[in-house]
Amino acid sequence: MEEKRLFRTRRRQKKAAAQLITTHGVLNPKKKQSVSQTSNNSNSDVDLKEGDFAKSRTVSVFGSSGLKEDSPIYAMAVKVGEALAKKGFHIMNGGYMGLMEATTKGARKVEGAKIRGVLVPKAFPMRKGGNKYLTHKLEEDTIEERLATLVGKASAFVVLPGSLGTLTELVMAWNTAVLAPLAGQNPPPIIAFKDPWEDILKGVQAKLKIPEQMLQMVQFVSSAEEAIETISKLS
């Protein structure tokens, strides 16, 4: 069992290392995005102005698409989404099921909350229209453009437990934080759950000899309560 665990950990570390080296080039979207707003009581779509989602108030939330409502992690994600909305942040995520749905569901408990789902119909034709709790939908043509929007149009990131897709998003957000000072900008806050991300990022840091201060750009938390406390410090 220990050998299997170590093998899985090393495999995740190798994937994360590859992502850290190669992903920052997709941060500039190439095509105009298709944007819509969903009414609470209708399936009709209306135009959405980009100003409705100011980057300075938008937090991207990443997490597993596979977890169901009976999962404790799903319930934790609901709390995180509600806390972000109560703080006045707009929420952006992948727009589909699992923890994307959970954070959206939590945020919708707060009157006036704005939640944007970034969808990729061509990549996920079986996932029709995103989850029912979204207030806004934005369609991209490719996964790369979706990632560019999720990372490039947010001022902070919350990373819930997940798998390879979430790892990709986390590494892109981390790389954005690392590169920000080169452009004279402050690194965006990144809040990530220790399980599983702390061991993975520490492995990447050790393997690539990344300076400790770069790892410290990611704030690790262990619970919804700790995440909410950290969120409350965001301006």
Side-chain angles (χ1 to χ4, degrees):
M1 291 295 292
E2 181 65 18
E3 289 181 356
K4 290 183 178 180
R5 187 187 69 80
L6 290 173
F7 174 78
R8 289 195 297 267
T9 299
R10 292 192 185 103
R11 184 172 59 183
R12 289 196 297 265
Q13 290 171 349
K14 289 180 180 178
K15 290 178 179 178
Q19 290 294 340
L20 183 62
I21 295 170
T22 62
T23 56
H24 73 276
V26 302
L27 290 177
N28 297 308
K30 296 180 180 179
K31 295 184 179 181
K32 184 177 180 180
Q33 299 146 337
S34 173
V35 185
S36 64
Q37 177 176 349
T38 303
S39 168
N40 290 348
N41 301 312
S42 171
N43 291 325
S44 62
D45 293 333
V46 300
D47 291 338
L48 167 69
K49 295 180 180 179
E50 190 63 32
D52 289 346
F53 270 82
K55 178 176 179 178
S56 62
R57 299 303 301 166
T58 299
V59 176
S60 279
V61 184
F62 307 132
S64 170
S65 63
L67 294 175
K68 306 297 183 182
E69 288 190 63
D70 58 357
S71 165
I73 299 177
Y74 185 104
M76 177 183 69
V78 171
K79 293 180 180 179
V80 169
E82 184 177 5
L84 283 167
K86 284 182 176 178
K87 185 68 175 175
F89 289 109
H90 310 321
I91 295 173
M92 185 161 59
N93 61 33
Y96 292 113
M97 59 284 216
L99 300 189
M100 294 175 281
E101 178 186 274
T103 53
T104 306
K105 180 179 181 180
R108 283 301 293 270
K109 294 181 179 182
V110 180
E111 185 177 357
K114 294 181 180 180
I115 313 108
R116 171 190 276 177
V118 185
L119 312 177
V120 192
K122 292 180 180 179
F124 304 112
M126 74 296 293
R127 300 178 181 179
K128 302 296 184 181
N131 70 69
K132 63 182 180 181
Y133 301 105
L134 297 170
T135 63
H136 300 79
K137 300 174 185 179
L138 187 153
E139 293 185 357
E140 297 284 13
D141 287 335
T142 67
I143 291 292
E144 290 79 10
E145 290 174 356
R146 179 203 206 190
L147 287 167
T149 296
L150 287 168
V151 174
K153 295 193 174 183
S155 63
F157 307 95
V158 176
V159 190
L160 301 162
S163 188
L164 182 58
T166 308
L167 173 61
T168 303
E169 293 159 341
L170 169 56
V171 172
M172 286 185 66
W174 186 23
N175 203 24
T176 297
V178 169
L179 294 174
L182 300 180
Q185 301 171 354
N186 293 324
I190 304 172
I191 302 168
F193 279 73
K194 289 183 179 181
D195 186 11
W197 306 122
E198 186 174 36
D199 285 347
I200 292 173
L201 292 197
K202 283 185 175 180
V204 172
Q205 179 207 9
K207 187 69 174 180
L208 299 183
K209 297 180 173 59
I210 295 172
E212 174 67 24
Q213 61 267 32
M214 291 185 180
L215 181 62
Q216 292 174 356
M217 292 177 173
V218 182
Q219 303 174 70
F220 295 106
V221 298
S222 299
S223 65
E225 290 71 25
E226 191 176 352
I228 292 168
E229 181 182 354
T230 306
I231 289 167
S232 68
K233 298 176 183 177
L234 299 178
S235 58

